[in-house]
């Protein structure tokens, strides 16, 4: 079971309550939530905001592919995965990504959550622009997309 979405900050915010509702079930014995936020310093620069740009359909497709790969890789009995990533400009401490997973056992939930964030970093086309205290900004160099 998968929920995958790009959230346009101009229209809405990522809400953990939506993830809680999606993965809630007596089938699962463990849930793990990963919440990524904008941090204040990167590469010795004072960050005040971050802009995320995406090709929404490609991002959702990437999330779906990662989900399919997780089923093949882990072969867990049951799993629920909720992924939302922000699009647009957000400030320090605001949520950029939410990954919520539910599985039968805690070790499965931890492993699955970690798998998703690492695979998203490697395989999903999301561009980041940092905004700094001195009013400068720059697009960050990303990692080459891995198709495997």
């Amino acid at each position: 079971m998968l929920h995958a979405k790009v959230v346009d900050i101009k229209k809405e915010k990522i809400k953990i309550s939506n993830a809680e509702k999606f993965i809630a079930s007596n089938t699962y014995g463990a849930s793990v939530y990963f919440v990524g936020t904008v941090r204040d310093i990167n590469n010795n620069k004072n960050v005040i905001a971050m802009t995320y740009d995406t090709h929404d359909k490609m991002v959702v497709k990437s999330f779906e592919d990662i989900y399919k790969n997780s089923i093949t890789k882990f072969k867990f009995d049951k799993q629920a995965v909720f992924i939302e990533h922000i699009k647009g400009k957000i400030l320090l401490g605001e949520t950029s990504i939410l990954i919520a997973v539910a599985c039968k056992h805690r070790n499965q939930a931890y492993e699955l959550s970690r798998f998703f964030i690492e695979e998203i970093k490697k395989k999903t086309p999301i561009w980041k622009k940092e905004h700094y205290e001195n009013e400068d900004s720059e697009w960050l160099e990303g990692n080459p997309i891995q198709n495997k």
Side-chain angles (χ1 to χ4, degrees), residues 13-72:
K13 288 190 173 194
I14 294 174
K15 297 179 190 155
I16 202 162
S17 60
N18 292 341
E20 290 170 337
K21 289 175 194 166
F22 183 80
I23 67 171
S25 171
N26 292 332
T27 303
Y28 309 116
S31 303
V32 172
Y33 296 85
F34 173 84
V35 180
T37 59
V38 177
R39 65 179 172 271
D40 63 350
I41 296 176
N42 189 37
N43 294 326
N44 297 316
K45 295 180 182 177
N46 293 326
V47 178
I48 60 167
M50 183 80 75
T51 297
Y52 293 89
D53 195 9
T54 66
H55 183 290
D56 297 2
K57 288 181 182 178
M58 287 177 66
V59 169
V60 170
K61 172 83 168 73
S62 176
F63 293 165
E64 291 168 348
D65 289 347
I66 293 167
Y67 179 78
K68 289 174 192 168
N69 291 342
S70 75
I71 291 171
T72 303

Side-chain angles (χ1 to χ4, degrees), residues 6-145:
V6 174
V7 175
D8 186 340
I9 192 65
K10 293 177 185 169
K11 298 176 185 171
E12 60 184 313
K13 288 190 173 194
I14 294 174
K15 297 179 190 155
I16 202 162
S17 60
N18 292 341
E20 290 170 337
K21 289 175 194 166
F22 183 80
I23 67 171
S25 171
N26 292 332
T27 303
Y28 309 116
S31 303
V32 172
Y33 296 85
F34 173 84
V35 180
T37 59
V38 177
R39 65 179 172 271
D40 63 350
I41 296 176
N42 189 37
N43 294 326
N44 297 316
K45 295 180 182 177
N46 293 326
V47 178
I48 60 167
M50 183 80 75
T51 297
Y52 293 89
D53 195 9
T54 66
H55 183 290
D56 297 2
K57 288 181 182 178
M58 287 177 66
V59 169
V60 170
K61 172 83 168 73
S62 176
F63 293 165
E64 291 168 348
D65 289 347
I66 293 167
Y67 179 78
K68 289 174 192 168
N69 291 342
S70 75
I71 291 171
T72 303
K73 178 180 174 72
F74 296 109
K75 297 177 177 52
F76 296 150
D77 244 359
K78 301 212 182 242
Q79 66 186 39
V81 179
F82 178 102
I83 310 169
E84 289 188 350
H85 199 290
I86 208 71
K87 179 179 186 172
K89 186 176 181 179
I90 60 173
L91 303 176
L92 285 180
E94 292 187 315
T95 301
S96 59
I97 186 169
L98 172 60
I99 301 170
V101 302
C103 298
K104 282 190 170 184
H105 305 286
R106 71 179 172 271
N107 62 328
Q108 294 173 338
Y110 279 117
E111 190 173 15
L112 190 60
S113 174
R114 181 65 185 252
F115 174 79
F116 268 92
I117 191 59
E118 298 302 335
E119 291 296 294
I120 288 168
K121 288 287 200 178
K122 289 190 279 189
K123 298 181 177 177
T124 304
I126 298 171
W127 298 271
K128 300 189 300 187
K129 182 179 189 178
E130 286 183 338
H131 302 272
Y132 307 112
E133 277 184 340
N134 63 4
E135 298 184 18
D136 284 345
S137 62
E138 68 180 325
W139 288 100
L140 300 180
E141 186 174 328
N143 298 319
I145 300 291

